[in-house]
Amino acid sequence: MGICEGRTVIVTGAARGLGRSYALAFAAEGANVVVNDIGTSLSGEGRDTSAADAVVAEIVAAGGKAVANYDDITDWDAAKRIVAAAIDAFGGLDVVVNNAGIVRDRMFVSATPEEWDATMHVHLRGHFCVSRHAVDYWRGVQKAGGKVDARIINTTSGAGLQGSIAQAAYSTAKGGIAALTLVQAAELGRYGITANALAPAARTRMTEGAFAEKMAAVEQGFDKQDPDNIAPTVVWLGSAESAHVSGCVFELEGGRITIERGWDLGPTIEQDAKWAPAEVGVAVDALLAKRPAPRAVWGS
């Protein structure tokens, strides 16, 4: 038996890249999988249901259980149908993996409101809508006397944790998802729900264009950028074994697993009096001298 035997999982954006790897890995560990994908381009345009169907066919051919869903994660009512698809097909829901996203790369000086809004809509609203309906379902189970052992697994990014040149909107959205995860973990534990986030680095449609040389597949040896490398941690986070882990952000690449320390308090100066504006500069310079150098913004 796999570590997710009998658990039911929704994976959004599951037709390609990381989402596909997650869906296949969950199924291989015994989970029932809802493969959600509307089949858009990298920028969020167009529709194609065949890619989700192909992942379902692959899971079923290997002896697993899966259904396809083509609802839009950003639509409130459609997101409810995604949750309902899991319940209708498999009798319940245990895990939501919020993986779907788009990217509209643009230097800040050239960014448009339309690109900004589209990026926020998919990443932030998409994470909200699906998780919110899932939480409604889980709270209902608990109120009816049932046991809840549920998981929300969100997707942030190195861009959201440290910034990325030409990705102001994407970085902002992904930073917001990391903060959302902390709030979900703090609020939802009482219902038997954990919330964690991933910052995965792997070969996908998003990364192949921006980091072509780094993301190139290797002919022999360990393929560090294979998206399948990320899936084992995601599957474990979706299992019953991870019930004690919540409010964490995991950076994952190849065989490396890192837990972020987040916005911790750094060097501090305090006095029992109001600062004069002219004094602040001296204090800040002293703090900067004590602060460890931060990681550079991607692309800088």
Side-chain angles (χ1 to χ4, degrees):
M1 289 178 59
I3 66 170
C4 286
E5 191 71 33
R7 288 173 73 77
T8 296
V9 182
I10 292 170
V11 182
T12 69
R16 301 179 179 87
L18 287 165
R20 175 181 175 275
S21 290
Y22 302 162
L24 294 173
F26 269 112
E29 289 294 328
N32 311 310
V33 184
V34 176
V35 178
N36 165 262
D37 205 300
I38 60 176
T40 68
S41 68
L42 186 56
S43 60
E45 298 166 331
R47 295 289 187 275
D48 177 14
T49 62
S50 64
D53 290 337
V55 176
V56 170
E58 190 171 353
I59 290 172
V60 172
K65 298 179 180 179
V67 295
N69 175 273
Y70 322 112
D71 282 302
D72 186 342
I73 61 171
T74 68
D75 182 288
W76 178 249
D77 293 332
K80 187 174 184 178
R81 292 195 296 270
I82 299 171
V83 172
I87 299 165
D88 293 344
F90 304 115
L93 175 64
D94 301 287
V95 184
V96 169
V97 181
N98 289 307
N99 169 72
I102 65 169
V103 67
R104 302 281 182 93
D105 288 352
R106 188 83 64 185
M107 297 297 284
F108 185 75
V109 297
S110 303
T112 68
E114 293 76 19
E115 291 168 340
W116 182 273
D117 289 346
T119 304
M120 299 302 156
H121 194 69
V122 173
H123 290 279
L124 292 176
R125 184 179 170 90
H127 270 62
F128 168 76
C129 288
V130 179
S131 296
R132 180 66 170 72
H133 285 301
V135 168
D136 277 351
Y137 166 71
W138 290 323
R139 288 182 67 201
V141 171
Q142 188 191 64
K143 288 179 180 179
K147 177 177 171 54
V148 176
D149 186 26
R151 309 283 181 265
I152 296 173
I153 303 172
N154 295 326
T155 304
T156 180
S157 167
L161 302 176
Q162 64 191 91
S164 179
I165 296 294
Q167 291 190 321
Y170 183 77
S171 297
T172 301
K174 289 303 191 183
I177 288 168
L180 169 65
T181 304
L182 301 181
V183 176
Q184 288 175 328
E187 291 184 356
L188 302 178
R190 72 190 74 176
Y191 305 113
I193 306 166
T194 70
N196 294 285
L198 318 167
R203 185 168 51 253
T204 68
R205 291 189 297 172
M206 285 188 184
T207 59
E208 281 183 312
F211 308 104
E213 184 175 345
K214 179 180 179 181
M215 293 297 161
V218 298
E219 294 184 1
Q220 55 184 338
F222 180 49
D223 186 355
K224 186 177 181 180
Q225 302 305 331
D226 187 338
D228 287 350
N229 296 327
I230 309 299
T233 301
V234 182
V235 172
W236 182 83
L237 285 171
S239 75
E241 297 180 11
S242 68
H244 61 294
V245 179
S246 195
C248 294
V249 176
F250 292 83
E251 277 206 73
L252 306 170
E253 181 179 22
R256 176 173 59 84
I257 302 172
T258 301
I259 295 182
E260 291 293 310
R261 288 183 296 190
W263 287 99
D264 235 344
L265 290 175
T268 303
I269 293 176
E270 184 176 3
Q271 63 182 25
D272 292 326
K274 179 181 177 181
W275 289 90
E279 298 174 327
V280 172
V282 175
V284 170
D285 286 343
L287 293 174
L288 289 173
K290 297 178 182 178
R291 183 189 69 164
R295 291 190 296 176
V297 171
W298 283 101
S300 64

